[in-house]
Amino acid sequence: MQLFRKRIALAVPLAFLVLISGFAVSAEAQTSRPTMTGPITPRQNRSQHKWAVVLHGGAGVIERSSMTPEAEKEYRAGLAAALQAAATVLDRGGSSVDAVEAAIRLLEDNPLFNAGRGAVFAADGTNQLDAAIMDGRTMTAGAVADVMHTRHPISLARAVMEKSPHVLLVGPGADAFARSVGLEQVPQSFYFTEHRWQSLVQELKREHLPIPARPAGAPPAPQHEAAFFETPENHKYGTVGVVALDRAGNVAAGTSTGGLTAKRWDRVGDSPIIGAGTYASNESCAISGTGIGEYFIRYTVARTICALVQYKGMKLQDAADAVIQKQLAPIHGDGGVIAVAPDGQMAWSFNTPGMFRAKMTEGGKAEIGIYRDEP
Ligand code: ASP
């Protein structure tokens, strides 16, 4: 009887151990099981991945006729520099999250793009910035909206992801969190650019809305109207976004924007909404969008593209086209996306006349495009 008791005493914990390890094995099997899109999340062979990066600097009515050669050169140089920043990180074995942040920080500091410095103005004459980042390996994400003093909203989004228990912070609270984690703060005048201000003035006139005073700290108004290449109509959507795949096989996505010119009522677009303008998962793909955010939110564009890849086994390009060309274009949901998948597929799709865009893969050449007729 005593021997029997001893056996039971041994057998119970043993059975428990077997049970636990069974769970552990099946959990491991779940995370490493190949999906319909192919072996995109395996833990093995990770070092065999070639890195890849795709980025955008906004989509819209961008046509050769509306662009001076100098402006075009500057845009291409800005895209090339951001691509290079991401490539440098990825090439030394850095993570896709690091690559996305590095490239977006450059674009945020480039006054040509509608993010950080160069952000468009809201109707009240302020700059209100939105950004998001998502790590496809951990499915963690961070986002901020209506930020007004943080130099790099993308780094703030990353801090939300890594240093807070939350996903989305807005307004003064988001800037306060930025200060608490030591991110650089700037006055509103830091974001000021003359061409964005002129765009606001034109747009407000068009909408018969009052024109606010020039922001404090902005340079004095130019004597003659700035005849820059920018008008509200042609470069309306200059949001920036980057998606990357690193050598470890992990994807990430990030987006940063000033939103839409003359936006009101603390409007927030799709960029900081996870699944709308930004999404990344090692199970499917990483997406960053640009365009009229309201459509991207309602059609959960980024997540829908990844869901088509994940559950329907669609090729990345086909999935992106299915949403951008087939769903959004007919309802005038202007815009586009960039995409990368853990198996190295890269894609972009836009239903506007142009999209500032660039891509590169390990060992390959940089491809930069602006107009529709470029490859
Ligand atoms: N999608 C952004 C928004 O709606 C704008 C853009 O892409 O330029 O806020």
Side-chain angles (χ1 to χ4, degrees), residues 114 236-239 257 259-260 267 269-271 289-294:
N114 172 20
K236 224 176 194 164
Y237 322 117
T239 293
T257 187
L260 298 182
R267 176 261 187 195
D270 60 313
S271 310
T290 173
I292 308 175
E294 282 68 12

Side-chain angles (χ1 to χ4, degrees), residues 177-188:
F177 177 68
R179 286 194 297 280
S180 79
V181 294
L183 290 176
E184 186 178 348
Q185 299 294 287
V186 291
Q188 276 269 293

Side-chain angles (χ1 to χ4, degrees), residues 233-317:
E233 267 0 283
N234 63 13
H235 299 156
K236 224 176 194 164
Y237 322 117
T239 293
V240 305
V242 181
V243 293
L245 163 67
D246 60 29
R247 284 211 188 110
N250 299 314
V251 295
T255 313
S256 184
T257 187
L260 298 182
T261 301
K263 62 186 180 180
R264 289 190 281 168
W265 310 298
D266 295 339
R267 176 261 187 195
V268 174
D270 60 313
S271 310
I273 306 299
I274 299 303
T278 308
Y279 186 77
S281 165
N282 275 9
E283 292 288 333
S284 51
C285 62
I287 302 281
S288 170
T290 173
I292 308 175
E294 282 68 12
Y295 288 89
F296 282 63
I297 294 173
R298 288 191 280 122
Y299 283 75
T300 54
V301 165
R303 175 60 193 147
T304 298
I305 294 170
C306 290
L308 291 173
V309 170
Q310 187 171 354
Y311 301 120
K312 270 198 149 184
M314 282 174 82
K315 289 247 170 285
L316 191 60
Q317 185 67 57

